[in-house]
Amino acid sequence: MTEAPLALVVDTHTHLDDTAFDLDRDEVIEASRAAGVRHFVNIGYQPERWESSHALWERHPDIDFAVGLHPQLAGEYNTVLERELKRAIDMLNPVAVGETGFDFSKPTPDLEAQERAFRGQLEIAAAAGLPTIIHQRDASGALIAELDRWPNLAPIVLHSFDGTHRLADWARERGCFVGIGGLATRRGSAPLREVLPRIPADRLLLETDSPYLAPAGSASRRNVPANLSGIAAVLAPLWNMSGEDLCRLTSLNAVSLFGLPAVEGIT
Ligand SMILES: [Zn+2]
């Protein structure tokens, strides 16, 4: 009996420093590697998470990280935090700024606070020449309008893409990278699966957003990076390819986008 080859893959959006992993973090990371995950990008979305992401990288050099302020926390953005963010970028050597963006799913933080935090981080990303990882919820139009004011940014990642046809077409025109994961596998995501093929395969990234967004059929509500190749197998037919090919292609995209070390076994 021949075993299916292990699909090697990069998980471009994790929160492995989350308390959901406090009891078994190292086991989760080890099981993810055993399931083919060859590199991780952990998202430090507030100052304490910049520290915990950096600490994780010190113990696990295959877990690179981004630093930023989540739009739901935009009310915390001020000149002190901005200075700390610049310092974190200088000192900690992250691969991207984020996640930042717009989230209009709740009444707060208000638009003014979200704009200030988003614009501040875009300016920092532009100055540092780093990619920006964008979180967007119920804010497609405002996101397009804002990013159109910033034509010279380093590459943009639309993480956990859940946008409209219009946002997908805009992203393709702009050359954005688009992160897809467990959300797109869910039964209620049929409209999203209709939009996704508008994104060319050379702009796709795979991500779990662990511990969030467990895929359809998952045994646990807690998502883990080990689920990623299964997610790829479900989504790959949208681009008429195999799960292994989607893993390989998106890993190469991630390596060049984030400047990751070459991933052993993926060429
Ligand atoms: Zn996230």
Side-chain angles (χ1 to χ4, degrees):
M1 201 173 90
T2 53
E3 237 177 278
L6 193 62
L8 303 182
V9 65
V10 176
D11 190 342
T12 59
H13 198 111
T14 64
H15 298 283
L16 292 169
D17 53 334
D18 194 274
T19 53
F21 299 115
D22 278 356
L23 293 179
D24 59 354
R25 183 166 294 106
D26 285 353
E27 287 95 318
V28 166
I29 292 166
E30 201 39 63
S32 301
R33 292 178 185 133
V37 181
R38 282 295 170 275
H39 213 90
F40 309 77
V41 179
N42 200 70
I43 311 300
Y45 60 77
Q46 58 172 308
E48 305 86 87
R49 298 297 185 101
W50 307 341
E51 294 303 325
S52 50
S53 295
H54 180 252
L56 199 59
W57 170 81
E58 285 185 313
R59 295 185 52 232
H60 300 286
D62 54 348
I63 308 181
D64 268 298
F65 58 94
V67 295
L69 188 71
H70 196 286
Q72 283 172 352
L73 304 171
E76 296 172 20
Y77 200 86
N78 56 29
T79 51
V80 175
L81 188 143
E82 186 168 276
R83 210 177 314 129
E84 284 171 0
L85 178 57
K86 288 180 184 164
R87 193 176 144 79
I89 289 169
D90 287 344
M91 305 296 291
L92 306 182
N93 203 23
V95 298
V97 173
E99 55 194 290
T100 179
F102 285 141
D103 188 329
F104 298 163
S105 64
K106 300 193 183 98
T108 58
D110 64 26
L111 177 63
E112 198 186 332
Q114 293 202 35
E115 280 179 346
R116 186 177 49 215
F118 189 21
R119 288 173 183 167
Q121 291 177 81
L122 288 173
E123 204 165 304
I124 288 170
L130 286 174
T132 310
I133 297 172
I134 306 264
H135 166 107
Q136 179 279 131
R137 233 174 123 191
D138 301 337
S140 287
L143 185 74
I144 290 171
E146 184 61 40
L147 290 173
D148 277 344
R149 302 175 61 215
W150 300 80
N152 298 319
L153 294 171
I156 295 164
V157 178
L158 301 182
H159 131 73
S160 190
F161 187 85
D162 187 19
T164 56
H165 281 87
R166 181 170 167 240
L167 184 61
D169 289 345
W170 176 88
R172 188 183 56 220
E173 287 292 306
R174 175 80 182 240
C176 294
F177 287 84
V178 167
I180 55 171
L183 177 70
T185 66
R186 293 180 180 176
R187 193 146 58 133
S189 294
L192 173 59
R193 286 191 293 275
E194 246 173 62
V195 170
L196 283 177
R198 301 170 98 90
I199 305 298
D202 67 356
R203 285 295 178 273
L204 292 174
L205 301 171
L206 282 169
E207 57 170 61
T208 58
D209 207 7
S210 298
Y212 307 109
L213 299 179
S218 180
S220 165
R221 285 194 60 198
R222 185 181 73 158
N223 201 1
V224 291
N227 290 333
L228 197 52
S229 59
I231 291 169
V234 172
L235 298 179
L238 295 174
W239 290 271
N240 298 312
M241 61 174 84
S242 69
E244 289 78 18
D245 282 347
L246 185 62
C247 286
R248 188 177 47 81
L249 192 80
T250 54
S251 296
L252 293 172
N253 292 345
V255 165
S256 70
L257 165 64
F258 293 119
L260 305 179
V263 176
E264 201 187 324
I266 300 178
T267 50

